[in-house]
Amino acid sequence: MREEPAVDIVGLVKRYGPKTAVDGLDLSVGRGTVTAVLGPNGAGKTTTVETCEGYRRPDAGTVRIFGLDPVANAPVLRPRVGVMLQSGGVYSGARAEEMLRHTATLHAHPVDVDLLIERLGLASCGRTAYRRLSGGQQQRLALAMAVVGRPELVFLDEPTAGLDPQARRATWDLIRDLRDDGVTVMLTTHYMDEAEQLADDVAIIDGGKVIARGSPEQLCRGGAENTLRFIGRPALDLASLLKALPADSTAAELTPGSYRVTGKVNPQMLATVTSWCAQNGVMPDRISVERHTLEDVFLELTGKELRA
Ligand SMILES: Nc1ncnc2c1ncn2[C@@H]1O[C@H](COP(=O)(O)OP(=O)(O)OP(=O)(O)O)[C@@H](O)[C@H]1O
């Protein structure tokens, strides 16, 4: 029998009064993968994740976590699912290390708390009251609390927002280790490099729907135009090059002898450019292909204007 996905969202709708925050969203997350959910502010990411966590009920559609309803089956799911809360629900006078040790005792097979404290750089603030921790320390403690119970699935809502570069790296390493241990990770982020570095799968959400889905490589390859550059002798006849290329390509001489060709850059296009060079007695120097980044793809899909 096929294993249930860790997260299976079908036709999810969630409204706040007249506002439809999630509008028929479908998303399935395979076990043991890291899925990054990206989207502009207000796209519906947090609402979706909170519905998966069982904090909100769908207005329509279904959400299943390991095949179970996150609200009705909350007691069964609680030990299997780690949730990184953004500061809410914490008694602010409690000390960081006490909180983590206490959380560990609530689980049957917690991870080594000392090791976790060391890995997330929490040793120096272990005796500090929660309310006196810096934003980054609170963030790291929240991550530690989410994973200390050795969950099978973790939800991380913007896990590295506001962290310094060292803490970001430590968080990334921890997430990679979770994946290597077979844990499923679903995270939201505004950092495209984070998604590129960590995610097996990316879902771009806009207007409460998934508008693109795939590995970072697939998303960067598909749809988006790419650029090919080369150096040749000045004033080449680009009109004849354009005739050899697909209709949606462009070719320009940026500075004398420096050329840029855009379009669907694939092996065929590269072959067309180099054979055109050969026919015209041009030795293309420093020929290079620039791939679009995930940020380029994201902006292309979601637009460059600021949202209201
Ligand atoms: N409790 C609420 N009451 C009313 N409207 C809400 C509530 N929570 C979210 N919304 C609205 O629902 C929409 C989706 O919000 P959500 O927080 O899910 O987006 P998001 O993608 O996580 O955004 P961000 O990147 O800014 O965190 C937004 O328009 C937001 O204003």
Side-chain angles (χ1 to χ4, degrees):
M1 204 183 83
R2 213 172 66 83
E3 227 182 12
E4 300 266 11
V7 178
D8 199 15
I9 306 172
V10 179
L12 176 66
V13 176
K14 185 70 205 163
R15 297 184 199 93
Y16 300 107
K19 167 91 203 165
T20 303
V22 180
D23 191 12
L25 184 140
D26 299 311
L27 183 63
S28 166
V29 173
R31 296 191 186 202
T33 60
V34 176
T35 295
V37 177
L38 312 179
N41 291 136
K45 303 178 296 294
T46 300
T47 303
T48 301
V49 171
E50 287 178 353
T51 311
C52 293
E53 292 165 349
Y55 295 130
R56 299 188 185 282
R57 284 176 195 276
D59 290 318
T62 56
V63 174
R64 291 288 175 269
I65 306 297
F66 300 122
L68 301 170
D69 181 321
V71 179
N73 299 110
V76 183
L77 286 171
R78 206 164 290 129
R80 301 178 66 185
V81 178
V83 172
M84 182 175 172
L85 292 171
Q86 309 280 356
S87 77
V90 169
Y91 166 56
S92 68
R95 294 177 205 274
E97 189 175 330
E98 276 167 17
M99 283 170 60
L100 191 55
R101 289 196 187 284
H102 173 69
T103 307
T105 64
L106 304 176
H107 294 273
H109 306 288
V111 301
D112 183 331
V113 174
D114 292 316
L115 203 62
L116 197 55
I117 286 176
E118 189 192 311
R119 289 203 59 179
L120 289 175
L122 290 166
S124 62
C125 60
R127 296 187 53 73
T128 308
Y130 181 82
R131 68 169 175 275
R132 299 210 186 284
L133 295 176
S134 73
Q137 289 166 339
Q138 288 185 358
Q139 190 96 333
R140 281 179 275 152
L141 179 62
L143 175 63
M145 306 245 284
V147 303
V148 72
R150 219 183 281 277
E152 292 166 59
L153 165 67
V154 254
F155 292 107
L156 307 174
D157 200 0
E158 300 189 35
T160 63
L163 291 188
D164 65 32
Q166 290 84 349
R168 269 186 100 199
R169 296 281 150 171
T171 302
W172 287 4
D173 286 345
L174 188 79
I175 292 171
R176 288 193 186 105
D177 288 353
L178 289 170
R179 191 224 342 250
D180 292 347
D181 287 344
V183 177
T184 308
V185 180
M186 182 163 159
L187 60 90
T188 66
T189 183
H190 286 293
Y191 300 125
M192 301 294 141
D193 61 330
E194 181 157 291
E196 263 176 329
Q197 288 282 330
L198 289 179
D200 303 299
D201 201 17
V202 169
I204 300 180
I205 295 187
D206 199 8
K209 290 189 174 72
V210 173
I211 58 163
R213 180 82 197 274
S215 68
E217 297 75 31
Q218 283 167 338
L219 288 175
C220 292
R221 257 201 322 262
E225 287 201 333
N226 285 309
T227 303
L228 185 147
R229 291 177 195 274
F230 66 92
I231 307 286
R233 63 169 187 271
L236 292 174
D237 176 13
L238 293 179
S240 86
L241 172 59
L242 275 178
K243 272 195 205 131
L245 290 169
D248 53 357
S249 310
T250 71
E253 186 172 7
L254 301 178
T255 56
S258 170
Y259 296 91
R260 184 188 64 197
V261 181
T262 67
K264 289 267 163 54
V265 179
N266 52 24
Q268 183 56 48
M269 194 239 232
L270 189 59
T272 304
V273 172
T274 51
S275 73
W276 178 86
C277 284
Q279 282 158 18
N280 289 275
V282 177
M283 176 65 203
D285 201 9
R286 278 181 269 159
I287 193 157
S288 65
V289 172
E290 285 167 21
R291 274 278 163 79
H292 277 223
T293 64
L294 196 53
E295 181 152 328
D296 296 327
V297 176
F298 180 84
L299 290 172
E300 205 168 282
L301 290 170
T302 60
K304 295 196 170 128
E305 331 70 55
L306 277 178
R307 302 299 169 92

